[in-house]
Amino acid sequence: MTNKGTPLVEMRDISISFGGIKAVDHVTIDLYPGEVVGLLGHNGAGKSTLIKCLSGAYQMDSGEIFINGNKAEIRSPRDARGYNIETIYQTLALADNLDAASNLFLGRELIGPGGFLNDIAMEAETRKIMGRLNPNFRKFNVPVSALSGGQRQSVAIARAVYFNARILIMDEPTAALGPHETQMVAELIAELKKQGLGIFLIEHDIHAVMELCDRAVVMKNGQRVGTVNVSDVTDDDILGMIILGKNPPQAY
Amino acid sequence: MSSSSNTRAGATSGPVSRFLKATEIDTRLLGMIGALLLIWVGFHLFGVFFKGSGSFLTPRNLWNLSVQTASIGIMACGMVLVIVTRHIDLSVGSVLGFCAMVMGIVQARILPEFLGLGHPLIWVITALVGMALGAAIGAFHGWLVAYRGIPAFIVTLGGLLVWRGFAFLLARGETISPLDSTFSLLGGGPYGAIGAMGSWIVALIACAAILWMLWNGRRTRALHDFPQRPVWAEGVLAALGCGLVIGATLLVNAYPWPKGIVRQYAAANNLEVPEAGLFISHGWAIPVLIMLGVGVVMTVVSTRTRFGRYVFAMGGNPDAAELSGINTKWMTVKIFAVMGFLTGLSSVVASARLNSATNALGTLDELYVIAAAVIGGTSLAGGVGTIYGAIIGALVMQSLQTGMVLIGFDAALQNIVVGSVLVLAVWLDIVYRKRAK
C-alpha cells in the first residue's frame, strides 16, 4: 500500500524520558486517512508512551506533531480532543459509578435550558449510537461497573466514535474480550476505516494485526525497529522484528 | 432496611417490591428513614415507660431538634462532595470557630463604629464576610491539595490546629457577646422563626415545586418516548411528598411561643393577652430553612450540573476524569471552596444561635459532619453519596444525642452510643451494598 499526500498524523522525532530512562527515543511515525497502523512491541517497548503523547496524557520532551500537515500543540487530553483525536484506553477510562450515557458524554455533556444537564437527551443519543454499535446493549440506567467487559468496551468505543473522531487511538481494544466481542470490534474497525478515519492500534496479538492493520510499526527499547506493509510480510517476519529487532528486507 | 427488592427471580411477585419498582423510591432512603423513626419512637417509649411521660415526639422537642441539626446538616452537604472525590476535610470545626470569631469582631466591634449600633446592614455584611472567608480558606486548602499534592487529610489536619489557634488569638480567648440583634435571628429562637402564616406559604411553595417536578419529569420522558412511571405511582409520590411537607409544617406550627416571650411581645405591640394565654406558633425556624435551602441547591448542583457530574466522575475514576478533559485540579479547589463556603454559612447559624462568638465554637464538629455524611450513605472509597442522605445522617446523629440527654444518659455513655451507631451504620451499609450487587 502506498500513501500519497499529506498524512493525517505525523509524529516526528518524538522523545520522552522518565527519570533518566528513555521511554521513547527519537521515534517518527505517520498515519494516513482510512488506514490502520499497528504499533507492536514487548511490554515496555514504548508503544503506549508514544501514543499517550498524541492523546495528551503525557507531554513529550522533544519532537513535533503535525495534524493534516499543520504543527499541533497537544498538552492535555482536551487539546487532543480539539484535533478530533479520540482514545480508547487499555484501562477503558470509564467512571465505574456512572451510567453509560454519563460516561459517553463525560467532559462534553449536553446542556439543556437553564444550564442544567440534559440527561434525557444524553440517554436518547446513547441509545441511538449503542443501537448501531452493539444492538444487544440494554443496560442504560445502571452504573457501568455492572456491565460485562464487552459491554464496557462498547461504551468506550461509542464515546470515541460519537464525537466525529478523525484519528482514533485504540490501546489493546480486544484484550479483555471474548471471541464474539472481538469480532464486533474487528467489524467496527473495518467500518470506521471505510469512513476515512485513521486508526492507531496498539496490539499484542499478531493475528489481529495481520487481519486488521495496513501497516505495522515495531518498537523495541523505546526505539523504532522498522515499519512494514502487512500484506508484504508473514507473521514470522513481524515476530522476528519484535523479538530480535531484526528487519526483513521489505521493511523501511 | 428493606431487603425484599433485591432477591432475583421472585422479586416481581411481592407487592412491596412492585411498589418500590414503580415509584422508583431509593430503598436506602427508606432504610435511613426507618432507622430514624425507630430511634425517635424508641426514645419516646423509653420516656413513657421509665420516666412517666415521653418527651421526644413532642412539637417542642422536634422543633428544637431541627434547629440543632441545622449547623451540622449544612456542612454535611459540602462534606458529601469532598468525600465523594476521595478527600476528607478535618478542618471544618476549626474553620467554623475562626469564621465565627471574625464575624463576632466585625459585627460587634468594627461595623458599629462606622454604621452605628443596630444598623440594618450589619448582619448582611457580617454574614457575607463569614461566607467569603470560609470559601477563601476552603479554596486555599483545595489549592494545597490539588496543586501542591499534599494529601487532604494532612492539609486539613493542619487546618484543624491552625484555624483553632487563630480563633483564639483574634480575641485572646475572649467571648464576644451579644451579637447584632438581627444577626442572631439567623440562629432560630422564637423571633428567629417565620410564624404560622409564613410557614404555610413556604409549605405551599414546596408542594407546588414537588408537583411541578413530577409533571416536568413525565413531560421530558414523553418527549423521548421513554417508559413512564404508572400514574398511580406518580400519585403516591405526590401524596408522600406533599404529605411530608404539610405534616412537618403542622408540627412546627403546633409549637407555641413560651409564655414569657408572648407577654414581652404583647407588651411591645400593645396586644391584650387573654386569660387562657395567646397561642403564637413558632413555625419553621430560619436556620432550618437555610439548611433545607442548602440541601435543595446542593442536590441540584450535584445531580443536574456539570460540576456535580465531574465530582462523581472524579470519585469513580480520577484517571478517567482527567483523561476526559476535566480539569481535576481546579475542580478540587472549587469543591473545597464550596465546603468552606458552607462552613462559613454554618458558622453564621451556629454563632447566631449562641448569640455569641467563642473560640471553642465548632469543636469536634468535623467528626459529626463526617459521621453524618457517612451514615447518610457517602462512601469513603469515593464516587457514592447523596445530599439528602447526609442531612438525614445529621438528623440521626442529633436525634441520638438529644434523645440521650432527654432520658438522662451521661456524656460518656452518649459518646459510646454515638460511636457504636456510626460503626454499625457503615457496616449495615456495606452489607446492603453487597446484597444489592
Side-chain angles (χ1 to χ4, degrees), chain A residues 57 77-78 81 89 91 93-99 101-103 106-111 115-124 127 145 159, chain B residues 84 217 220-221 223-224 226-227 300-301 303-306 309-310 312-317 319-327 382-384 437:
Chain A
R78 241 168 314 164
R81 285 183 165 191
Y89 291 97
T91 47
L94 298 178
D96 278 341
N97 55 336
L98 302 181
D99 62 16
S102 304
N103 268 293
L106 191 57
R108 291 178 287 205
E109 290 77 7
L110 299 180
I111 299 297
F116 294 114
L117 295 176
N118 196 344
D119 277 318
I120 298 270
M122 287 193 269
E123 191 182 326
R127 282 176 190 270
S145 58
R159 176 163 67 175
Chain B
V84 162
T220 40
R221 286 193 200 202
L223 219 59
H224 292 271
F226 282 6
V300 170
V301 165
T303 58
R304 309 285 309 139
T305 68
R306 282 200 166 156
R309 180 61 47 83
Y310 295 169
F312 282 88
M314 284 167 67
N317 186 344
D319 297 332
E322 180 89 43
L323 291 171
S324 300
I326 296 169
N327 191 341
V384 179
K437 257 188 184 170

Side-chain angles (χ1 to χ4, degrees), chain A residues 23-203:
Chain A
V24 176
D25 192 2
H26 298 285
V27 172
T28 298
I29 56 172
D30 55 7
L31 176 71
Y32 287 83
E35 183 187 38
V36 180
V37 170
L39 276 173
L40 294 102
H42 284 301
N43 290 328
K47 325 175 286 285
S48 287
T49 310
L50 172 68
I51 222 66
K52 277 182 178 164
C53 297
L54 183 62
S55 65
Y58 291 156
Q59 272 106 58
M60 57 202 177
D61 297 335
S62 68
E64 290 171 313
I65 298 177
F66 294 85
I67 309 287
N68 289 320
N70 302 316
K71 191 164 173 0
E73 295 288 338
I74 298 176
R75 297 184 194 286
S76 72
R78 241 168 314 164
D79 293 345
R81 285 183 165 191
Y83 290 105
N84 290 333
I85 300 170
E86 293 289 337
T87 310
I88 297 163
Y89 291 97
Q90 197 172 3
T91 47
L92 297 177
L94 298 178
D96 278 341
N97 55 336
L98 302 181
D99 62 16
S102 304
N103 268 293
L104 204 148
F105 284 92
L106 191 57
R108 291 178 287 205
E109 290 77 7
L110 299 180
I111 299 297
F116 294 114
L117 295 176
N118 196 344
D119 277 318
I120 298 270
M122 287 193 269
E123 191 182 326
E125 287 297 304
T126 307
R127 282 176 190 270
K128 263 188 234 162
I129 187 153
M130 293 310 282
R132 248 176 59 208
L133 291 179
N134 186 355
N136 297 323
F137 191 89
R138 292 277 180 279
K139 294 184 170 173
F140 289 98
N141 289 314
V142 297
V144 295
S145 58
L147 305 184
S148 73
Q151 289 168 331
R152 289 164 59 89
Q153 187 63 274
S154 52
V155 173
I157 292 174
R159 176 163 67 175
V161 176
Y162 179 79
F163 292 95
N164 297 318
R166 298 281 302 130
I167 300 150
L168 196 56
I169 299 166
M170 301 175 111
D171 194 347
E172 296 199 50
T174 58
L177 303 187
H180 179 72
E181 289 148 333
T182 304
Q183 186 55 34
M184 185 194 86
V185 172
E187 282 164 16
L188 182 74
I189 289 176
E191 166 69 25
L192 296 173
K193 214 175 109 165
K194 230 183 282 167
Q195 293 172 14
L197 273 76
I199 300 174
F200 276 124
L201 185 65
I202 297 179
E203 193 49 90

Side-chain angles (χ1 to χ4, degrees), chain B residues 73-125:
Chain B
I74 291 167
M75 289 191 283
C77 292
M79 192 61 83
V80 171
L81 301 191
V82 172
I83 295 178
V84 162
T85 49
R86 306 186 184 186
H87 293 302
I88 196 83
D89 194 337
L90 297 173
S91 71
V92 292
S94 295
V95 173
L96 183 142
F98 178 70
C99 288
M101 219 54 207
V102 170
M103 286 192 293
I105 290 170
V106 166
Q107 65 185 305
R109 295 189 184 167
I110 299 174
L111 286 179
E113 275 191 38
F114 296 100
L115 298 171
L117 209 61
H119 191 280
L121 272 181
I122 287 182
W123 76 271
V124 181
I125 297 174

